Amino acid sequence: MTNKKRPTVYLTRKLPDLVETRMRELFEAELNIEDAPRTEAELLAAMQRVDVLVPTVTDRITASMIDQAGPQLKLIAGFSNGIDHIDVDAAARKGITVTNTPNVLTEDSADMTMALVLAVPRRLVEGTRVLANGSEDWRGWSPTWMLGRRLSGKRIGIVGMGRIGTAVARRAKAFGLSIHYHNRKRVSPATEAELEATYWDSLDQMLARVDIVSVNCPSTPATYHLISARRLALMQPTSYIVNTARGDIIDEAAMIECLRQGKIAGAGLDVFENEPAVNPKLIKLAKEGRVVLLPHMSSATIEGRIDMGDKVIINIRAFYDGHRPPNRVLPGRA
């Protein structure tokens, strides 16, 4: 790239120092030192003057914004695995390439999913809170106090058996859970055999028969409120639901009502339908010990963020070296 004009690159959020330093070495990179979310007007202004936009999952890049982008914007190099926040079809119509950072956060996300699978039935947060409020609230061991539910021997139903869902299944199997899954298509016979997994063509039938539901599918128009009020009603009153994918896959209002009425036993959530806003009713349920809430941190590891940054850089360099970026997102993927 030394004999070519260095592309101007706009980073919408602060990235790890190693990534930002490399960006500055290779490109004319504009950083977000304060890490404050950019407004739509700020994003649009950048799109009208820079060559490359590097948005994150919190940046909504709409068709209207893409239509108003300057002719010099040729690449949207997403710092994310998911692409539901970018109108990929509109970008394709405008001749803008979109890339993402897949296959980086699988293990981190699966780890956090399993942490929630453990935390909710075993009441880990409730137990932590007892001592955090002062040891005087704890009078010692009791045979009937803080009883949770055993994991071994229970059934976990994984909604979306992609890379993350499969990684969750491997962890769950190690804890003695029986693996069940629903997916658009069955995984390979070898993977099914390895996990001793049962495939359910009917999501409804699976939800009615498992003890823990783990949501691991992508957010697309087809999966919006996939776990609907009707489907939540199919779950057993002793069952739990865990979501580390996207908040809008579950009908959040319906889930809250099921929790309040005791129609499901609990929930572990790392994502929310209207984040960063969290429904006050969910916060109340968390204080009552009915749910465990995390601030969208399932992928938050230093290693993962650096790996994501490396993929963004590789995509930008490949594009401006005249090659097809390795992580190009094709229109109509959803």
Side-chain angles (χ1 to χ4, degrees):
M1 296 180 65
T2 54
N3 297 325
K4 302 178 183 178
K5 174 183 174 292
R6 302 200 326 168
T8 55
V9 178
Y10 185 87
L11 280 60
T12 65
R13 299 297 294 267
K14 179 168 177 53
L15 302 183
D17 290 343
L18 285 174
V19 175
E20 291 185 340
T21 299
R22 190 64 174 147
M23 288 272 192
R24 293 289 296 273
E25 290 172 349
L26 294 170
F27 319 122
E28 296 298 326
E30 183 176 334
L31 309 182
N32 182 345
I33 302 300
E34 298 81 16
D35 198 32
R38 299 302 193 189
T39 65
E40 182 175 326
E42 289 172 326
L43 291 171
L44 183 56
M47 294 168 70
Q48 291 172 339
R49 61 181 172 79
V50 302
D51 302 314
V52 182
L53 182 74
V54 181
T56 68
V57 293
T58 60
D59 303 307
R60 304 296 303 182
I61 310 301
T62 65
S64 174
M65 295 168 68
I66 290 169
D67 289 342
Q68 298 176 70
Q72 81 297 325
L73 182 67
K74 295 299 182 183
L75 178 63
I76 298 176
F79 186 86
S80 63
N81 179 48
I83 45 88
D84 51 294
H85 56 297
I86 302 171
D87 194 318
V88 178
D89 293 335
R93 289 194 298 269
K94 183 106 176 183
I96 299 172
T97 297
V98 177
T99 61
N100 66 341
T101 59
N103 312 331
V104 171
L105 305 174
T106 298
E107 302 304 321
D108 297 331
S109 297
D111 285 346
M112 192 63 83
T113 301
M114 198 63 213
L116 286 171
V117 168
L118 285 163
V120 180
R122 292 305 307 271
R123 305 174 67 179
L124 298 187
V125 174
E126 290 177 81
T128 299
R129 190 179 296 133
V130 169
L131 296 182
N133 291 339
S135 59
E136 63 272 9
D137 292 338
W138 184 46
R139 298 184 178 181
W141 181 87
S142 166
T144 57
W145 185 71
M146 202 59 78
L147 298 182
R149 291 280 182 172
R150 177 184 295 165
L151 285 184
S152 179
K154 299 295 192 300
R155 298 175 295 271
I156 186 169
I158 297 173
V159 182
M161 196 72 153
R163 292 182 180 88
I164 294 175
T166 301
V168 170
R170 290 194 174 100
R171 287 157 173 76
K173 185 174 184 291
F175 278 86
L177 287 156
S178 171
I179 309 303
H180 299 253
Y181 76 98
H182 170 78
N183 205 41
R184 286 185 298 177
K185 59 181 181 180
R186 296 182 71 153
V187 300
S188 69
T191 300
E192 276 194 0
E194 173 202 347
L195 299 172
E196 301 177 54
T198 300
Y199 172 68
W200 293 85
D201 179 64
S202 168
L203 176 58
D204 290 6
Q205 291 185 23
M206 185 185 80
L207 292 175
R209 290 167 174 82
V210 297
D211 304 293
I212 300 167
V213 174
S214 178
V215 178
N216 300 108
C217 59
S219 174
T220 69
T223 61
Y224 176 78
H225 283 191
L226 178 68
I227 310 299
S228 61
R230 181 187 65 79
R231 284 184 165 136
L232 286 162
L234 299 173
M235 293 175 60
Q236 303 173 58
T238 55
S239 62
Y240 304 89
I241 189 164
V242 169
N243 187 8
T244 58
R246 287 290 186 270
D248 62 6
I249 298 171
I250 300 177
D251 184 335
E252 193 171 275
M255 178 186 63
I256 289 170
E257 284 309 304
C258 286
L259 288 161
R260 292 175 68 180
Q261 296 174 26
K263 293 182 178 179
I264 58 177
L269 308 172
D270 185 50
V271 288
F272 308 94
E273 191 162 354
N274 299 301
E275 61 180 77
V278 180
N279 192 312
K281 293 179 180 177
L282 275 177
I283 295 174
K284 183 174 185 293
L285 287 167
K287 292 178 178 177
E288 294 170 358
R290 305 289 295 280
V291 301
V292 174
L293 306 179
L294 297 177
H296 201 148
M297 56 186 284
S298 66
S299 64
T301 68
I302 294 171
E303 296 87 348
R305 295 289 187 253
I306 291 174
D307 288 346
M308 290 172 70
D310 287 344
K311 278 187 176 283
V312 170
I313 291 170
I314 289 169
N315 284 320
I316 297 173
R317 293 197 70 178
F319 183 85
Y320 279 95
D321 283 342
H323 305 298
R324 179 190 176 102
N327 304 123
R328 182 184 177 192
V329 179
L330 298 176
R333 189 182 105 163

